[in-house]
Amino acid sequence: MTTFQMYPAASEHAPYAATYLQATAEALAASGGTLEALLTAQPEALQALLADVPESVAQRGYAPGKWTLLESLVHVADTERVFAYRLLRIARGDQTPLPGFDQDAWVPLSSANSRSLASVVQEIVAVRQATLALLTSLEPAVADRTGTAGGHSVSVRALAWMIAGHFAHHLTLTRTHYLGADLKG
């Protein structure tokens, strides 16, 4: 996975992905580690963060009209699955344009709020294990392969970074918004 260490060029991703790529870069700089190490550590960090969170907090949004913590976390798993699927298709040389997805339409249909926090976290861990198995199976040359997703050119490398960055973004959001002092208990 060493070829995945290089920051993706602007031509390798849609403009919206820059936020996730920057989050990955910041997490890598803070840890001094590799992308693989970051991807491995993220679910562990989430588990530690949520270890003592009561279900009542998981059922609430941090502001009116915002997703609940459970919905936000299911969205993390869903998005990682979509990004990993895109990564797989592009890594295998499939040039079929892949559609975007409407996260706001998916969340209400996820039934996230009928689940326990532990089950959602367990799902995220399983999804990440599958993502890591895929990424570690790839030959270095596929990092530069590009395809089209959501109407934009995207590389395998950028998708790997987007997976880590989207998770990092939501980990920060969970810490700062969902688990703020006024929401505990």
Side-chain angles (χ1 to χ4, degrees):
M1 255 178 57
T2 56
T3 57
F4 290 90
Q5 282 301 113
M6 188 173 60
Y7 194 96
S11 61
E12 294 181 60
H13 60 85
Y16 81 86
T19 299
Y20 302 140
L21 302 181
Q22 184 59 37
T24 301
E26 290 170 5
L28 287 171
S31 72
T34 64
L35 183 61
E36 183 176 4
L38 175 62
L39 289 165
T40 300
Q42 286 178 324
E44 296 165 5
L46 182 67
Q47 287 175 306
L49 180 64
L50 299 176
D52 297 321
V53 172
E55 292 293 331
S56 61
V57 170
Q59 293 281 336
R60 294 196 302 238
Y62 63 83
K66 295 296 184 180
W67 295 338
T68 67
L69 176 57
L70 287 168
E71 289 171 330
S72 178
L73 294 172
V74 169
H75 160 74
V76 169
D78 286 351
T79 301
E80 183 156 334
R81 283 184 173 111
V82 170
F83 288 175
Y85 175 71
R86 290 172 177 175
L87 187 150
L88 171 65
R89 297 269 308 257
I90 294 167
R92 299 294 192 252
D94 190 337
Q95 290 298 301
T96 306
L98 302 170
F101 72 104
D102 184 349
Q103 65 185 17
D104 293 316
W106 284 27
V107 167
L109 299 174
S110 72
S111 301
N113 293 321
S114 67
R115 297 180 56 190
S116 71
L117 182 57
S119 76
V120 172
V121 171
Q122 182 179 32
E123 178 182 352
I124 289 171
V125 169
V127 169
R128 179 52 60 89
Q129 288 171 339
T131 299
L132 280 165
L134 171 62
L135 285 169
T136 57
S137 75
L138 298 176
E139 294 294 325
V142 305
D144 295 327
R145 284 193 189 144
T146 60
T148 303
H152 299 277
S153 180
V154 64
S155 72
V156 170
R157 177 186 8 267
L159 284 161
W161 276 61
M162 289 164 61
I163 289 168
H166 183 260
F167 197 108
H169 168 75
H170 278 276
L171 190 59
T172 298
L173 191 64
T174 298
R175 185 181 302 109
T176 61
H177 287 63
Y178 287 100
L179 303 181
D182 60 326
L183 293 178
K184 291 195 176 176

